Amino acid sequence: QVQLVESGGGFVEAGGSLRLSCAAIGRVFRLREMGWYRQAPGEQRELVATVTSRGSANYVDSVKGRFTIARDNAKNTVALHMNNLKPGDTAVYYCFAIDEYTDDDYWGQGTQVTVSS
């Protein structure tokens, strides 16, 4: 069983920065993809950023140039560095991972990010 444990998040003023971290623990063999979704109140869950085991990263257009995703394969961790935050970034952020061999997906518990104007 694999668990994803998130940390980080919080409250910040517009223009500020936050860092989210996520660690995969348990019977982790190889994770093909790791990343972050977010869900704002009343909105659908949105894919924010992903990174493959080879380091190939993708971002939703609204965060390009402001967010950076970083992965450590040896530690099975992924981080999301968020700069120049905007009120529109306010959401609960969820870490996810996909198993390389089984295609099983795993999810973190979610962490709140609130950006004030």
Side-chain angles (χ1 to χ4, degrees):
Q1 187 71 12
V2 175
Q3 288 184 306
L4 300 185
V5 180
E6 300 178 24
S7 60
F11 181 92
V12 67
E13 293 184 350
S17 299
L18 285 173
R19 179 179 183 270
L20 306 182
S21 298
C22 174
I25 60 175
R27 294 176 60 82
V28 182
F29 295 105
R30 187 177 176 90
L31 299 172
R32 181 176 72 242
E33 190 171 47
M34 300 185 78
W36 298 87
Y37 275 81
R38 67 185 179 187
Q39 188 165 21
E43 301 290 332
Q44 297 219 349
R45 191 170 290 193
E46 174 186 47
L47 181 60
V48 178
T50 63
V51 60
T52 69
S53 57
R54 296 186 178 184
S56 177
N58 283 288
Y59 302 88
V60 68
D61 285 346
S62 61
V63 308
K64 286 180 180 177
R66 300 188 298 121
F67 290 12
T68 302
I69 190 168
R71 177 171 175 169
D72 186 329
N73 288 331
K75 297 180 179 179
N76 291 312
T77 60
V78 65
L80 188 66
H81 302 268
M82 305 182 292
N83 298 316
N84 190 21
L85 282 159
K86 303 176 180 180
D89 296 318
T90 295
V92 177
Y93 284 70
Y94 297 90
C95 173
F96 78 95
I98 300 174
D99 188 283
E100 172 85 30
Y101 303 112
T102 66
D103 285 334
D104 288 341
D105 58 310
Y106 308 106
W107 292 87
Q109 76 277 15
T111 187
Q112 177 71 46
V113 171
T114 303
V115 185
S116 67
S117 57

